[in-house]
């Protein structure tokens, strides 16, 4: 995703000799790889899009993963970026030599560049926990980043480990489907209801025919997130979330994550 953005902006600035190396056969990164039930984005869709390529047709405030993946595929074609991409070319070596970058890919091909930008994502690489007995567990062991759609969860007793964003999304999707579901957490987590209404056709029509509204919505969410969430992460005692975290008693945190 960041690689597509960089390529577009470089070309827009007049740099025509741009190449994107992509190890897979399609764009999308984490949204291409992750297909677990309930996958969605915890950032409002009108902000989770390129400022130069707004999408008036988001179906929901927080859109599902497949819809986000479709957006990146469609935007790649609309911006004419597909011709810059070398699919199936995973860069395995980058060496600075004689004032240039020397590149080698998994297929054995070589190239060189004056400037090398690393835009490789990390959110689809599974990290399997080192749990005693995991190797001898008789049931299926599946990481969310390698979800197997053939699993018949309606007939399974399912255990989900973790209460991060993925764990919450997966648990919500499986709770009404699995024969039995148990969620294991190490640390209490804040879990709050998120209103995620579906946009009616009239709203999508308005955003499609009045483009400035897309830019206005994007700017609104950008200021909102930077004013609250970004400050809470960088300086926990600043911003609304920082004040909430600093003033919350320990028992309340425990109840919120239970």
């Amino acid at each position: 995703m960041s690689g597509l953005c960089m390529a577009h902006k470089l070309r827009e600035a007049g740099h025509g000799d741009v190449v994107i190396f992509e190890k897979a056969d399609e764009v999308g990164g984490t949204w291409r790889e992750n297909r677990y039930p309930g996958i969605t984005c915890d950032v409002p869709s009108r902000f989770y899009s390129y400022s130069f390529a707004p999408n008036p047709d988001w179906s929901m405030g927080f859109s599902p993963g497949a819809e986000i993946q479709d957006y990146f595929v469609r935007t790649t074609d609309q911006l004419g970026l597909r011709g810059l991409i070398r699919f199936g070319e995973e860069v395995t070596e980058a060496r600075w030599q004689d004032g240039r970058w020397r590149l080698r890919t998994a297929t054995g091909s070589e190239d060189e560049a004056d400037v090398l930008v690393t835009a490789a994502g990390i959110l689809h690489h599974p990290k399997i926990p080192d749990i005693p007995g995991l190797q001898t567990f008789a049931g299926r062991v599946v990481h969310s980043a390698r979800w197997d759609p053939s699993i018949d969860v309606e007939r399974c007793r399912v255990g989900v480990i973790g209460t991060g964003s993925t764990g919450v999304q997966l648990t919500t999707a499986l709770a009404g489907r699995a024969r039995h579901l148990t969620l294991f957490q190490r640390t209490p987590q804040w879990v709050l209801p998120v209103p995620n209404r579906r946009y009616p056709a009239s709203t999508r029509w308005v955003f499609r025919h009045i483009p400035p509204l897309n830019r206005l919505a994007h700017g609104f969410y950008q200021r909102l997130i930077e004013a609250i969430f970004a400050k809470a992460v960088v300086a926990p005692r600043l911003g609304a979330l920082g004040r909430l975290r600093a003033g919350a008693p320990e028992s309340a945190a425990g109840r919120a994550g239970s």
Side-chain angles (χ1 to χ4, degrees):
M1 297 175 288
S2 57
L4 296 173
C5 179
M6 175 63 75
H8 172 70
K9 286 299 183 179
L10 284 173
R11 195 172 58 175
E12 193 176 57
H15 303 287
D17 190 7
V18 179
V19 175
I20 303 175
F21 293 90
E22 170 57 59
K23 68 177 182 179
D25 58 0
E26 186 53 275
V27 301
T30 187
W31 303 106
R32 179 194 63 237
E33 299 292 335
N34 284 275
R35 298 289 180 173
Y36 60 84
I39 181 173
T40 187
C41 186
D42 50 11
V43 175
S45 298
R46 300 215 181 275
F47 181 58
Y48 196 81
S49 52
Y50 298 128
S51 59
F52 49 81
N55 178 23
D57 294 316
W58 291 119
S59 65
M60 308 177 74
F62 299 87
S63 298
E67 188 173 337
I68 298 173
Q69 168 65 5
D70 289 342
Y71 165 77
F72 284 112
V73 172
R74 185 173 65 253
T75 301
T76 298
D77 293 328
Q78 290 175 345
L79 296 178
L81 298 175
R82 190 168 293 273
L84 306 179
I85 306 174
R86 296 183 186 176
F87 290 104
E89 293 280 4
E90 180 181 7
V91 176
T92 57
E93 181 182 348
R95 185 176 67 257
W96 180 255
Q97 181 180 345
D98 299 329
R100 304 202 78 190
W101 285 102
R102 313 292 175 174
L103 309 177
R104 181 186 295 272
T105 71
T107 63
S109 64
E110 298 182 351
D111 206 335
E112 57 184 42
D114 298 304
V115 178
L116 176 64
V117 178
T118 59
I122 61 172
L123 296 180
H124 66 281
H125 296 288
K127 182 178 181 181
I128 306 298
D130 185 15
I131 300 176
L134 187 63
Q135 300 300 323
T136 57
F137 177 65
R140 296 283 300 275
V141 177
V142 181
H143 194 283
S144 59
R146 296 292 183 270
W147 181 261
D148 183 355
S150 68
I151 298 177
D152 185 6
V153 296
E154 285 81 1
R155 302 176 59 184
C156 297
R157 291 175 55 86
V158 180
V160 177
I161 301 176
T163 52
S165 297
T166 298
V168 172
Q169 294 171 7
L170 187 59
T171 300
T172 302
L174 296 182
R177 296 174 51 195
R179 182 165 65 90
H180 184 275
L181 178 67
T182 302
L183 175 64
F184 300 91
Q185 69 172 6
R186 177 177 57 185
T187 305
Q189 176 70 286
W190 287 101
V191 179
L192 303 173
V194 177
N196 191 21
R197 66 184 184 89
R198 181 172 293 277
Y199 292 127
S202 57
T203 298
R204 297 196 297 273
W205 186 94
V206 169
F207 275 94
R208 193 180 308 117
H209 290 84
I210 310 178
L213 286 180
N214 277 303
R215 294 191 291 271
L216 185 64
H218 188 279
F220 167 77
Y221 283 116
Q222 180 178 2
R223 286 189 290 272
L224 177 66
I225 290 174
E226 289 178 351
I228 299 178
F229 294 96
K231 286 185 178 179
V233 172
V234 176
R237 292 187 178 276
L238 297 178
L241 286 185
R243 290 193 296 272
L244 176 63
R245 182 187 302 176
E250 184 176 353
S251 58
R255 288 196 300 273
S258 61

